[in-house]
Amino acid sequence: KVRSAIGEEKIQAIRLYSGEKFTVVEEATAGMLCGAMANPIALNYVNETMPGNRASVAYATVYPLSMFLRVIIAQLIVMLWFA
C-alpha cells in the first residue's frame, strides 16, 4: 500500500543540519530517531536492547534542537495564521 503511494522513490541521503551547513550521514542511529520524535519510551526500549550508551548520547544531541524547532514552527504558524 505504501509502495503504491510513493512509487519507487527512496531516500537519497540523511542530512544533519548545523545552521546553513549540513553533513550527509549514511545512517541514522536509533537515538537520533527517538530524539527527533521526542519519544523517550522508544529510547528506553533501545537502551534495553542495545549495549552501550550511544543511543542516549544521540538522543541528548538531537532532542533539544527538535523541541526548539517545534516551538518556533508553532509560533510561526500562529503568527502567519492570525496576521
Side-chain angles (χ1 to χ4, degrees), residues 31-75:
M32 292 171 77
L33 295 175
C34 295
M37 295 185 301
N39 193 341
I41 297 168
L43 177 66
N44 186 35
Y45 172 76
V46 171
N47 283 333
E48 290 176 359
T49 57
M50 294 178 62
N53 64 349
R54 288 182 59 192
S56 295
V57 171
Y59 180 90
T61 303
V62 174
Y63 179 78
L65 177 61
S66 171
M67 292 309 295
F68 175 76
L69 290 175
R70 287 178 183 206
V71 170
I72 296 300
I73 289 170
Q75 290 177 351

Side-chain angles (χ1 to χ4, degrees), residues 1-43:
K1 186 174 182 178
V2 173
R3 185 174 301 280
S4 65
I6 62 172
E8 293 299 319
E9 293 182 27
K10 295 182 180 180
I11 295 174
Q12 300 297 322
I14 299 172
R15 296 179 179 181
L16 299 178
Y17 285 90
S18 176
E20 293 182 5
K21 299 179 181 179
F22 65 88
T23 304
V24 177
V25 295
E26 294 296 320
E27 60 185 30
T29 66
M32 292 171 77
L33 295 175
C34 295
M37 295 185 301
N39 193 341
I41 297 168
L43 177 66

